[in-house]
Amino acid sequence: MLNLFLFLQDAAAQLSSAGGEQSASGQPAAGGFDFSGIIMIVVLIGIFYFLMIRPQQKRQKEIQKFRESISVGDNVITAGGIYGKVDAVKDTYFILDIGDKVKIRIDKGSVYQSPESAQEAQAESSK
């Protein structure tokens, strides 16, 4: 334990004395702070934001906009993979007709646009 304490004390003394010394070129010998590490981290965070976080937020907004615009008669697909037609719209859920007079209640958060509806919407928006 005493050896560790002496080692740390010597290291601290060397660091404090190195800050005042000058090399032959007039620059501080050691102890100067290098900003390149921080700059790299900031650049990586920026790249991560623009390539991953921002596109995901855009997709979430589009899905939310679709869920708010669902009306009776729209074809949708649930998160569980059930295709159906919206029979009724309530505050927090939809009633889906999935065929042969079978109706189920689905939470609004688990409904997505069916591929057929997505293609129709894309064709309409490109006109």
Side-chain angles (χ1 to χ4, degrees):
M1 185 70 165
L2 183 61
N3 288 337
L4 177 64
F5 177 72
L6 291 174
F7 173 75
L8 292 175
Q9 190 176 15
D10 284 341
Q14 287 177 356
L15 285 176
S16 65
S17 67
E21 296 176 4
Q22 299 267 331
S23 66
S25 65
Q27 299 291 328
F33 190 72
D34 188 17
F35 286 103
S36 65
I38 292 176
I39 292 171
M40 286 299 293
I41 291 172
V42 169
V43 168
L44 287 174
I45 289 172
I47 290 171
F48 184 75
Y49 175 77
F50 283 107
L51 292 180
M52 306 242 347
I53 296 172
R54 191 163 179 234
Q56 181 64 26
Q57 288 175 340
K58 283 180 144 181
R59 274 188 238 116
Q60 290 295 330
K61 285 181 183 178
E62 289 174 7
I63 290 171
Q64 184 65 29
K65 187 188 293 185
F66 167 73
R67 288 179 181 156
E68 291 171 356
S69 69
I70 291 177
S71 61
V72 175
D74 289 346
N75 290 321
V76 295
I77 184 171
T78 67
I82 300 171
Y83 287 81
K85 185 179 265 190
V86 176
D87 191 51
V89 178
K90 304 294 181 182
D91 287 339
T92 59
Y93 62 91
F94 299 112
I95 304 293
L96 289 185
D97 183 5
I98 57 174
D100 294 332
K101 298 181 183 179
V102 177
K103 295 182 182 181
I104 57 174
R105 183 170 57 171
I106 300 293
D107 184 59
K108 281 188 176 182
S110 66
V111 174
Y112 299 95
Q113 196 171 17
S114 71
E116 297 86 20
S117 297
Q119 289 174 353
E120 290 172 8
Q122 191 175 29
E124 287 178 10
S125 66
S126 65
K127 288 182 181 180

